[in-house]
């Protein structure tokens, strides 16, 4: 009996010690909070600065960061889910309030870590044509990607809208361009290869756009592609071929540049500028005509990034995109948008018929990425109709076809269908 009484006494003393430590910790936390609030500048509330901006250092809980604002501790910031998130718990003890704050911290940490795992996509414009294409995409408001502009012409490079600009071959060209000499463009890119690699960084996917037939695009774009390709980055090339009126020499130079691009890209899309004559009128300006060619790149990049970043009914991840585009050779991109009756089928047909890319068909495709985007009125039947219209064109029964559907709040009343077909024979 004496042993049992002693054990009970020990347990009682232990529980009392735990309660004392908990109370002491809670009191210390509240004192730290009160002290931080008292240190708030006198004119802060008048200037619209909330107490939430005052950081408080507390002991980290559950692996959460150690910095928490005063408003978080008071429960004014709805970081967590009910019942611990949102407003303070009425009548709760300081210890419970402490646990609620720790929970909110943990939720914030989880959300931050999720954002860190989003794939990084980079668009690199090389030469005059590539730099112009990048500026067009930025002006159109494309989000979810990083932009890099590379050129040997310092004067033209200064006009780019890209936040990251690289002057190629400062010693080789001295910022004066290549003079339509692909060898000078290649040497300029080799000189700046390390800076190019730093700009690309830890990218998961890189689009490289350039105009073939000149000096910088023809010579430097394959070096940029090789830099990405050798690092295991999914590398997609989008290149234009010159107009017929530009002469046979530029066409031969372009063909040589395209052959080099094929060696160092997973997927290559070729846009013949001559095909612009099929879709422009006599009053179409030169700027508008080249804008149509830039739209092919814009649609292709957007169709890929929207599937991975934008919320949707059918979400895809980067592994899906890589499965369709890695090591697939020639590819084509198309997009179509329609409203009204049968909008899904009409948008799909417009995506399949892209006169800028020429007579290349998706029938021989070995892989296909389909993105169907719409507003809140997009129906399941419309997704089915658009997807069926496109997949019926593919002859290969073993083709890897991946479908995604993204949501765009600005597209109520219309549907946009984008297609990336890879492994095209005779592209």
């Amino acid at each position: 009996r004496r042993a049992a009484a002693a054990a009970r006494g020990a347990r009682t003393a232990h529980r009392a010690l735990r309660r004392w430590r908990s109370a002491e910790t809670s009191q210390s936390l509240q004192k730290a909070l009160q002290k931080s609030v008292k240190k708030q500048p006198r004119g802060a509330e008048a200037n619209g600065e909330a107490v939430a901006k005052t950081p408080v250092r507390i002991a980290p809980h559950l692996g959460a960061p150690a910095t928490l604002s005063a408003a978080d501790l008071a429960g004014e910031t709805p970081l967590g889910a009910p019942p611990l998130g949102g407003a303070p718990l009425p009548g709760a003890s300081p210890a419970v309030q402490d646990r609620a704050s720790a929970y909110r911290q943990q939720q914030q940490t989880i959300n931050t870590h999720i954002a860190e795992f989003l794939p990084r996509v980079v668009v690199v414009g090389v030469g005059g044509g590539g730099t112009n294409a990048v500026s067009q995409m930025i002006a159109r408001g494309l989000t979810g990607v990083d932009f890099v502009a590379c050129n040997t012409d310092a004067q033209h490079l200064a006009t780019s809208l890209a936040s990251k600009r690289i002057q190629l071959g400062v010693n080789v060209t001295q910022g004066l361009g290549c003079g339509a000499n692909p060898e000078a463009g290649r040497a300029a890119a080799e000189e700046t290869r390390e800076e190019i690699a730093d700009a690309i960084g830890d990218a998961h996917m890189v689009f490289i756009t350039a105009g073939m037939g000149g000096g910088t695009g023809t010579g430097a774009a394959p070096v940029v592609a090789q830099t990405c390709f050798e690092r295991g980055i999914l590398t997609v090339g989008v290149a234009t071929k010159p107009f017929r009126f530009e002469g046979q020499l530029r066409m031969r130079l372009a063909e040589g540049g395209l052959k080099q691009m094929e060696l160092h890209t997973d997927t290559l899309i070729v846009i013949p500028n001559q095909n612009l004559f099929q879709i422009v009128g006599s009053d179409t300006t030169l700027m508008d005509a080249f804008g149509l060619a830039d739209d092919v790149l814009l649609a292709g990049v957007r169709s890929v990034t929207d599937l991975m970043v934008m919320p949707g009914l059918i979400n895809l991840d980067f592994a899906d995109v890589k499965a369709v585009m890695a090591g697939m050779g020639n590819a084509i991109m198309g997009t179509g948008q329609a409203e009204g009756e049968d909008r899904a089928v009409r948008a799909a047909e417009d995506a399949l018929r892209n006169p800028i890319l020429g007579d290349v068909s998706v029938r021989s495709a070995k892989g296909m990425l389909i993105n169907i985007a719409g507003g809140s009125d997009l129906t399941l039947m419309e997704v089915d109709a658009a997807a069926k219209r496109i997949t019926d064109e593919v002859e290969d029964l073993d083709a890897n076809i991946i479908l995604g559907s993204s949501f765009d709040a600005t597209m109520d009343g219309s549907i946009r269908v984008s297609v990336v077909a890879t492994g095209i024979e005779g592209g």
Side-chain angles (χ1 to χ4, degrees):
R1 283 197 298 271
R2 286 195 296 271
R8 285 195 299 271
R11 287 195 296 269
T12 302
H14 181 67
R15 284 196 295 268
L17 178 61
R18 289 177 57 188
R19 285 195 298 270
W20 177 81
R21 286 178 176 174
S22 176
E24 184 183 37
T25 302
S26 299
Q27 291 172 5
S28 300
L29 181 63
Q30 293 299 325
K31 288 180 180 178
L33 174 59
Q34 293 171 3
K35 183 183 296 185
S36 66
V37 174
K38 289 179 180 179
K39 289 183 179 180
Q40 184 76 14
R42 293 183 178 180
E45 294 184 0
N47 296 331
E49 297 179 5
V51 179
K53 294 185 179 179
T54 304
V56 181
R57 300 293 298 183
I58 65 173
H61 296 267
L62 303 176
T67 302
L68 188 65
S69 69
D72 290 338
L73 288 173
E76 298 172 4
T77 305
L79 296 178
L84 294 181
L89 302 177
S93 65
V96 173
Q97 296 287 3
D98 187 20
R99 289 197 296 271
S101 297
Y103 177 84
R104 285 191 290 271
Q105 281 184 287
Q106 187 182 33
Q107 294 303 307
Q108 190 177 36
T109 303
I110 292 173
N111 292 335
T112 302
H113 289 172
I114 289 174
E116 291 175 354
F117 285 106
L118 289 177
R120 180 169 176 254
V121 180
V122 179
V123 179
V124 182
V126 184
T131 300
N132 289 340
V134 165
S135 294
Q136 282 275 1
M137 297 174 71
I138 296 173
R140 292 284 201 85
L142 181 66
T143 58
V145 300
D146 297 332
F147 295 98
V148 180
C150 307
N151 204 352
T152 57
D153 186 344
Q155 184 177 3
H156 185 268
L157 183 63
T159 65
S160 172
L161 299 180
S163 59
K164 181 63 177 179
R165 290 174 286 188
I166 301 176
Q167 183 176 337
L168 301 177
V170 176
N171 297 322
V172 174
T173 66
Q174 299 180 355
L176 302 177
C178 291
N181 182 358
E183 285 302 315
R186 182 192 61 77
E190 291 288 357
E191 178 188 323
T192 328
R193 184 189 282 263
E194 184 175 345
E195 189 174 352
I196 295 171
D198 290 341
I200 295 168
D202 57 352
H204 297 85
M205 183 177 187
V206 176
F207 287 86
I208 301 169
T209 177
M212 293 289 135
T216 305
T218 308
V223 177
V224 176
Q226 183 180 14
T227 303
C228 301
F229 193 72
E230 290 180 348
R231 300 173 67 182
I233 300 171
L234 181 61
T235 308
V236 180
V238 183
T240 61
K241 295 174 67 174
F243 292 99
R244 289 177 186 168
F245 61 71
E246 296 183 74
Q248 291 297 318
L249 175 60
R250 291 184 70 89
M251 184 61 74
R252 287 197 299 270
L253 293 177
E255 294 291 349
L258 290 173
K259 289 181 180 179
Q260 291 298 313
M261 287 289 287
E262 289 178 0
L263 297 176
H264 305 298
T265 55
D266 289 286
T267 300
L268 179 62
I269 301 164
V270 180
I271 305 172
N273 282 338
Q274 189 65 27
N275 291 342
L276 291 173
F277 287 106
Q278 301 181 22
I279 58 175
V280 300
S282 58
D283 57 345
T284 303
T285 66
L286 185 63
M287 181 177 295
D288 291 339
F290 281 117
L292 294 173
D294 294 337
D295 285 344
V296 176
L297 173 63
L298 174 64
V301 176
R302 184 171 58 187
S303 65
V304 172
T305 56
D306 283 0
L307 287 175
M308 295 186 292
V309 178
M310 297 288 287
L313 299 175
I314 307 175
N315 292 313
L316 301 182
D317 53 33
F318 177 72
D320 295 321
V321 175
K322 192 170 184 178
V324 173
M325 305 190 74
M328 296 300 285
N330 294 309
I332 62 174
M333 291 181 178
T335 186
Q337 188 165 333
E339 301 177 355
E341 188 177 358
D342 294 329
R343 58 180 185 171
V345 176
R346 289 188 287 109
E349 291 176 346
D350 289 343
L352 292 171
R353 293 193 304 266
N354 193 338
I356 297 180
L357 298 178
D359 298 329
V360 182
S361 172
V362 301
R363 294 186 181 278
S364 61
K366 301 297 186 295
M368 182 174 287
L369 194 66
I370 305 172
N371 180 17
I372 303 174
S376 58
D377 58 345
L378 179 64
T379 68
L380 177 62
M381 298 299 292
E382 288 176 323
V383 172
D384 175 71
K388 187 175 185 303
R389 177 65 186 87
I390 294 172
T391 55
D392 285 346
E393 291 288 320
V394 181
E395 296 178 345
D396 190 346
L397 299 179
D398 295 325
N400 187 12
I401 300 176
I402 297 180
L403 169 70
S405 176
S406 57
F407 172 77
D408 189 340
T410 65
M411 290 190 61
D412 282 345
S414 63
I415 289 180
R416 182 176 65 240
V417 179
S418 302
V419 178
V420 180
T422 61
I424 303 295
E425 296 179 0

